[in-house]
Amino acid sequence: MNGIFSGIPTGITAFTATNLDDLVILTLLFSQVNTHLRRRHIVIGQYLGFSTLVIASLAGFLGGLVLPSHWMGFLGFAPIAIGLNRLLNADKDSPSTTESEQELTKSSPFSGFLSSQSLSVAAITIGNGSDNISIYMPLFANADFSSLLVIIAVFLSLVGVWCYGTYKLTCQPAICNLISQYGNNIVPFVLIGLGVFIILDSASLPPIALAVSCLVLTGLVKLYGINAQTETSADADWQI
């Protein structure tokens, strides 16, 4: 019983302290909801990403199976790549793509878990929270089994609270208009900055190596956009 009572405030404190920055990311993500990115993609992706962090922390607690923290920092390249893609390759939904996604959603109740949008949000969540593992591992190690279950339950509950709160925040007219007007221009830079901070904070790469890596990644993302545009144009010409 003591484990239950102590686990609740411990879980609330630990989650709040390690996920305040997620409020900004989630608010920006919910402001980008359209025919391509749905609310369920964000919620599912957030739960997938955060559950991965918890499982990784448990694996480290049970058997020391977690990668070194500076290796986890390389996950920061995920938000950098996503931000560069949104900055360099404007995301335009074609009617065929939107129609196929809608058909897939109707045909399978599990399509949201497998969608690229959910996986992208999960990657951002993991990258942003990779340093959380260093906090969760000792927290789990010092908890008994009942406290551990309570803490994890509190964590998963607060993920839903975070998602709901940030979504309602974007429903406020003034905030929604402000984010809608500037959100598309801000989001790529926020994601890139987030990834850079994660890599530098975890000491995965020195600044010079990070700068060179970002330049190479920029070229790859731009090349990917050119190839995708070429394939789209070729498909359109073939249909004509």
Side-chain angles (χ1 to χ4, degrees):
M1 187 63 68
N2 290 333
I4 296 177
F5 287 119
S6 63
I8 293 176
T10 300
I12 293 175
T13 302
F15 183 91
T16 303
T18 55
N19 292 278
L20 283 176
D21 49 350
D22 275 357
L23 292 175
V24 178
I25 301 299
L26 285 171
T27 301
L28 290 171
L29 288 173
F30 277 117
S31 71
Q32 306 298 305
V33 168
N34 51 30
T35 57
H36 184 63
L37 179 66
R38 303 296 183 90
R39 291 189 296 271
R40 67 174 181 275
H41 294 145
I42 299 173
V43 175
I44 291 173
Q46 185 73 4
Y47 267 104
L48 284 175
F50 190 80
S51 297
T52 301
L53 295 175
V54 172
I55 292 172
S57 300
L58 287 172
F61 164 60
L62 295 174
L65 302 178
V66 174
L67 293 172
S69 59
H70 63 278
W71 285 19
M72 294 297 295
F74 284 111
L75 290 171
F77 280 113
I80 291 177
I82 295 170
L84 287 173
N85 186 58
R86 299 192 64 168
L87 184 64
L88 300 175
N89 306 320
D91 190 12
K92 298 179 180 179
D93 296 335
S94 63
S96 59
T97 301
T98 303
E99 183 178 352
S100 63
E101 286 185 355
Q102 291 176 348
E103 291 177 354
L104 179 62
T105 302
K106 293 178 181 179
S107 61
S108 174
F110 301 104
S111 59
F113 286 92
L114 303 177
S115 66
S116 60
Q117 297 93 325
S118 295
L119 295 178
S120 295
V121 175
I124 294 173
T125 303
I126 294 172
N128 186 37
S130 59
D131 55 339
N132 292 8
I133 295 177
S134 61
I135 298 175
Y136 295 160
M137 284 180 60
L139 177 67
F140 293 165
N142 292 325
D144 55 33
F145 186 71
S146 60
S147 296
L148 181 64
L149 293 180
V150 171
I151 291 172
I152 293 176
V154 170
F155 278 4
L156 296 179
S157 299
L158 288 178
V159 170
V161 173
W162 248 233
C163 290
Y164 178 78
T166 51
Y167 168 68
K168 296 300 290 184
L169 189 63
T170 58
C171 293
Q172 300 299 318
I175 298 176
C176 184
N177 292 336
L178 182 63
I179 296 177
S180 298
Q181 184 176 359
Y182 300 104
N184 288 326
N185 298 325
I186 295 175
V187 169
F189 295 101
V190 171
L191 294 176
I192 294 171
L194 175 64
V196 170
F197 172 78
I198 291 169
I199 295 173
L200 292 178
D201 187 60
S202 60
S204 299
L205 287 175
I208 295 178
L210 175 58
V212 173
S213 300
C214 288
L215 287 176
V216 174
L217 186 59
T218 300
L220 293 175
V221 169
K222 188 61 179 177
L223 182 61
Y224 168 80
I226 294 174
N227 291 337
Q229 185 176 4
T230 301
E231 292 178 0
T232 303
S233 299
D235 292 340
D237 293 339
W238 175 259
Q239 293 176 357
I240 293 175

